[in-house]
Amino acid sequence: MKLLRELFQVYNFRPEDFKEIQELKKFFNSEQIAKIGKELKAEVIDKFPEYKNLLKNRGVNNELFAETISDFFNSIFEAESLTVTTSTIIKTHKNWNIKSLDFIEVYFSFSEKILSILYDISSKHPELIKNIRKLTRLLFIIAVYFLRSSCKTNAEQTITAADPMTGLPSRYNIQKIFPECVNKDSLFAVVFDIRGFANINTYFGYEVGDSVIIYFATFLKETFLEEFCKGYPNIFRLQGDQFFVLIKGTQEKVEEKVKRFLEKIKGKPIKIPLEGDRHTLDIILISVGTNVNVCQDISNLLWILENSLREFKKTQKDGFFFIDETIKERCQRRKENVALVIKAIKENRVTFAFQKIIDLYSGDIFAYEVLARIKTKDGKLIPAGVFIDDISFYSLDGDLDKIVIEEAIKYKAKTGMKERLSINISNALLEGNVDLLERVTRENGVPPKEIIIELMERQNLTLISHLKEKIAYLKKLGFKIFIDDFGVDYANFHLIETLAIDGIKIDGRFVRNIDKKILDREFVEFVLSVARQLKVAVVAEYIENQQILKIIKDLAKDFNVLGQGYLFGKPEVKE
């Protein structure tokens, strides 16, 4: 009983809301509710024939079933009555061994029938819509209550930091018991992720989102639940829409079991009442697994699982994937690089180098590109190319940008440099700290017109909120805007057509072999022709020798192209 009252508070369903939905009760009569009861009993027998004998043995005929539905319907409109009735239903289900997922399917069918009647009536009484939507919210709150009540584990009383929604132990509990409870030889760890879960909350509301989480947790328990160690189950809730399951067996058996589970849940979507109709909500899952012996500790294991999941989500919509050695090595490298950058930032070991960007026809220095570097404790320099893609997963590149921007612009002001600086800006900085550029140039007395901002196209610029407005703001201040890495990953010509940019940098992989690969030459020539039409500057990266330089000049013809590469000088570290 306490749980339902708590849910009323969590979802802000107030006593006055109950008073308002009571107005809807008068639109129903006993014959309608009795009819719904008979239809639901027929649905139970049709979908779940295993309950036919149970109902018969318990003496539940059509009339008694309909009477039970009527009692439940009448209780919905009054908080205390609803609390007592729902508690009785939960106890009955436990005594009769009724599966919660079977019950919730019938419950949503009941809700859909009630709401359908009301929405039909609302066509003539539109003033009812507000209260119908309140009743819909209440029906979902009741669904959350039913699912949560059935979702508790036997071990819940012994678990500290248990997830309050599902009753499952949390990430903290995995870390607590893992070292002493894991037999690593025949144990696999699997992470399940509900795809698009944020959209469920956005489109349908948090009551529906919570219903989906608990529904899925219940499904996991019915398939995988067993006591693991010290009273803990083998299923944990990692965060939001992610769950962690430990499964014993060979790799083949584990894979078979997980794939069978995915097929089962695909065949049982959650059917929710929405706007007077029943909406089928598919739960789309992507999951990854590995033997737990790949790591010495749980932190590394979770890192590999969660980062592998990120990798697979780039290319896969759903399914189950075992993590191979390549993925493990990539995840391990990413972890090491993230640790490297965090430590370098903390210990003030971030510096920068300048590399010339040359006007290919006059030979003058057009600008210096500012390149991030990390100094190791023994004085070696690590270029950004080693770690930049790895840290962008965690928006650490924004922190790195801030340091490099501040230090490079201070250096320019202190030394009186007249040449422009061309600075890479990550999505992370543009998303949350775009004012930094204006502040740093103003504080150091550097005109924004002497700063080129390079947007890194490999990070998918379209994900930046209000991108056009941010670029317009920076250009109004006087900054020049170039797109870096053009032609790689997310690059597309629509961007340079729709964004008010000043230049593009052709990614070096199309330039370095232009003397050997005809397709690279064709691509560069096409980019130059588009840039000529749009009247934007072009920088060709990776000009390493005279032959490449000659080809670029020949392709450009009368178009003034800029160049960058070892032919003009290697990056030089500035202190």
Side-chain angles (χ1 to χ4, degrees):
M1 294 186 184
K2 180 183 176 184
L3 174 59
L4 187 57
R5 294 190 186 99
E6 288 175 354
L7 291 174
F8 291 151
Q9 292 180 346
V10 168
Y11 295 112
N12 195 29
F13 203 86
R14 303 158 301 173
E16 50 265 41
D17 293 321
F18 275 101
K19 289 181 181 178
E20 290 177 8
I21 65 169
Q22 283 173 5
E23 293 295 315
L24 302 173
K25 190 176 178 182
K26 65 184 180 184
F27 292 98
F28 293 88
N29 56 50
S30 57
E31 288 78 15
Q32 284 175 306
I33 302 302
K35 182 185 176 187
I36 290 173
K38 289 178 181 178
E39 289 173 352
L40 290 176
K41 184 168 185 284
E43 186 176 322
V44 169
I45 300 303
D46 179 54
K47 289 185 176 179
F48 314 107
E50 63 270 27
Y51 295 126
K52 183 176 181 179
N53 288 334
L54 173 66
L55 294 174
K56 183 178 179 181
N57 294 337
R58 296 282 182 170
V60 181
N61 55 23
N62 287 347
E63 288 70 25
L64 183 55
F65 194 97
E67 185 181 328
T68 304
I69 296 298
S70 178
D71 290 343
F72 175 64
F73 170 79
N74 289 321
S75 74
I76 288 173
F77 300 92
E78 201 277 314
E80 285 305 314
S81 177
L82 178 60
T83 302
V84 173
T85 303
T86 50
S87 177
T88 302
I89 289 171
I90 291 296
K91 290 175 183 175
T92 302
H93 287 174
K94 288 180 179 177
N95 291 335
W96 292 14
N97 291 320
I98 294 174
K99 293 180 181 178
S100 55
L101 293 179
D102 296 343
F103 168 74
I104 207 68
E105 187 170 339
V106 178
Y107 169 77
F108 278 140
S109 181
F110 161 82
S111 301
E112 178 261 323
K113 292 176 186 295
I114 295 296
L115 294 173
S116 291
I117 292 171
L118 289 171
Y119 273 106
D120 285 344
I121 294 170
S122 71
S123 61
K124 295 182 180 179
H125 298 277
E127 71 278 5
L128 297 177
I129 291 292
K130 180 181 176 183
N131 287 339
I132 294 173
R133 287 178 176 157
K134 284 189 177 182
L135 177 60
T136 303
R137 282 186 58 229
L138 176 61
L139 290 170
F140 274 114
I141 293 169
I142 296 169
V144 171
Y145 168 76
F146 282 137
L147 284 165
R148 279 184 61 173
S149 297
S150 64
C151 204
K152 293 179 180 178
T153 66
N154 294 331
E156 192 170 345
Q157 299 302 318
T158 67
I159 297 173
T160 55
D163 171 45
M165 185 181 297
T166 63
L168 291 171
S170 66
R171 176 191 291 261
Y172 163 80
N173 296 116
I174 309 173
Q175 295 168 324
K176 181 179 176 183
I177 67 170
F178 190 83
E180 53 186 307
C181 290
V182 174
N183 174 5
K184 295 189 176 184
D185 293 332
S186 59
L187 191 66
F188 287 81
V190 178
V191 169
F192 293 91
D193 179 277
I194 303 174
R195 300 226 55 170
F197 180 72
N199 292 334
I200 295 174
N201 279 332
T202 301
Y203 299 147
F204 302 111
Y206 286 94
E207 298 92 343
V208 177
D210 290 352
S211 296
V212 170
I213 287 291
I214 304 168
Y215 181 81
F216 177 65
T218 306
F219 229 115
L220 278 176
K221 289 179 181 182
E222 289 195 357
T223 305
F224 297 108
L225 184 64
E226 59 183 65
E227 186 172 326
F228 175 56
C229 178
K230 293 188 174 181
Y232 284 85
N234 61 324
I235 305 173
F236 303 78
R237 188 179 182 193
L238 282 183
Q239 59 186 355
D241 54 358
Q242 287 185 358
F243 293 80
F244 175 90
V245 183
L246 291 164
I247 307 173
K248 296 174 184 175
T250 63
Q251 179 170 323
E252 292 75 18
K253 291 291 185 183
V254 170
E255 185 171 12
E256 180 185 344
K257 191 170 186 179
V258 172
K259 287 185 175 179
R260 198 163 55 238
F261 168 77
L262 295 180
E263 284 300 315
K264 183 179 177 183
I265 200 166
K266 190 180 288 186
K268 291 207 68 163
I270 186 169
K271 296 178 181 178
I272 60 172
L274 198 69
E275 299 292 323
D277 200 358
R278 195 185 304 193
H279 181 83
T280 299
L281 194 61
D282 294 312
I283 299 177
I284 300 173
L285 298 172
I286 186 165
S287 55
V288 295
T290 186
N291 193 301
V292 298
N293 65 13
V294 300
C295 296
Q296 297 299 315
D297 59 65
I298 186 61
S299 295
N300 276 330
L301 177 63
L302 290 174
W303 176 278
I304 287 175
L305 284 165
E306 291 173 350
N307 281 272
S308 299
L309 191 63
R310 286 173 182 251
E311 291 287 331
F312 284 113
K313 286 172 81 170
K314 289 179 183 178
T315 57
Q316 304 293 333
K317 178 184 176 183
D318 57 8
F320 174 61
F321 307 94
F322 264 112
I323 302 168
D324 61 23
E325 287 303 318
T326 303
I327 296 289
K328 290 174 190 173
E329 289 171 7
R330 192 182 306 158
C331 292
Q332 193 59 40
R333 182 207 68 209
R334 183 175 295 150
K335 184 174 185 180
E336 291 168 0
N337 281 337
V338 167
L340 169 77
V341 172
I342 290 174
K343 200 166 185 181
I345 290 173
K346 185 177 180 180
E347 296 175 357
N348 297 316
R349 290 189 285 105
V350 176
T351 187
F352 59 91
F354 285 164
Q355 187 176 28
K356 297 173 187 174
I357 299 174
I358 300 293
D359 184 315
L360 296 188
Y361 293 93
S362 69
D364 295 335
I365 297 174
F366 172 78
Y368 284 98
E369 181 174 6
V370 181
L371 303 165
R373 296 288 186 266
I374 284 178
K375 292 183 288 187
T376 63
K377 290 184 177 180
D378 58 0
K380 294 179 182 177
L381 291 170
I382 302 174
V386 171
F387 53 78
I388 198 68
D389 287 340
D390 293 331
I391 67 171
S392 66
F393 264 86
Y394 305 95
S395 300
L396 273 174
D397 45 351
D399 298 329
L400 195 72
D401 286 349
K402 182 176 182 294
I403 295 170
V404 172
I405 289 167
E406 289 178 340
E407 294 304 315
I409 291 177
K410 280 181 188 176
Y411 179 89
K412 176 175 168 60
K414 184 173 70 174
T415 59
M417 279 182 68
K418 298 302 180 186
E419 294 87 359
R420 302 176 186 88
L421 294 184
S422 190
I423 304 175
N424 286 286
I425 303 296
S426 65
N427 283 14
L429 188 134
L430 269 178
E431 193 61 65
N433 201 7
V434 71
D435 293 335
L436 172 75
L437 292 152
E438 186 275 332
R439 177 180 63 78
V440 174
T441 50
R442 173 172 42 80
E443 289 177 354
N444 288 280
V446 173
K449 67 181 181 180
E450 295 181 9
I451 304 296
I452 298 168
I453 295 170
E454 295 188 20
L455 307 178
M456 294 190 288
E457 178 58 2
R458 70 178 67 235
Q459 289 191 3
N460 194 354
L461 294 171
T462 60
L463 296 178
I464 300 171
S465 60
H466 309 294
L467 178 61
K468 287 184 181 180
E469 291 83 354
K470 287 173 180 175
I471 288 177
Y473 162 74
L474 292 168
K475 283 181 66 68
K476 186 176 180 180
L477 292 172
F479 295 100
K480 300 296 182 184
I481 309 293
F482 280 37
I483 292 182
D484 195 13
D485 310 317
F486 193 80
V488 176
D489 294 337
Y490 299 100
N492 62 75
F493 288 92
H494 179 66
L495 270 176
I496 62 173
E497 186 180 35
T498 57
L499 297 179
I501 64 166
D502 300 290
I504 56 178
K505 297 184 74 174
I506 304 174
D507 190 79
R509 71 187 68 185
F510 298 105
V511 177
R512 64 166 63 133
N513 294 313
I514 200 170
D515 55 338
K516 303 179 186 70
K517 295 184 178 180
I518 187 66
L519 286 179
D520 288 350
R521 185 182 302 206
E522 293 288 336
F523 177 78
V524 171
E525 185 173 18
F526 179 62
V527 172
L528 289 169
S529 68
V530 172
R532 185 183 290 109
Q533 292 293 322
L534 295 175
K535 296 182 173 58
V536 298
V538 173
V539 180
E541 298 180 314
Y542 275 84
I543 297 179
E544 308 290 294
N545 55 54
Q546 290 291 341
Q547 188 176 1
I548 293 175
L549 175 61
K550 182 179 184 305
I551 292 171
I552 294 292
K553 282 186 172 182
D554 289 344
L555 293 176
K557 298 173 184 173
D558 59 341
F559 186 59
N560 195 18
V561 178
L562 306 169
Q564 184 176 355
Y566 280 10
L567 181 63
F568 311 115
K570 295 181 179 181
E572 297 179 6
V573 174
K574 303 295 181 181
E575 298 290 350

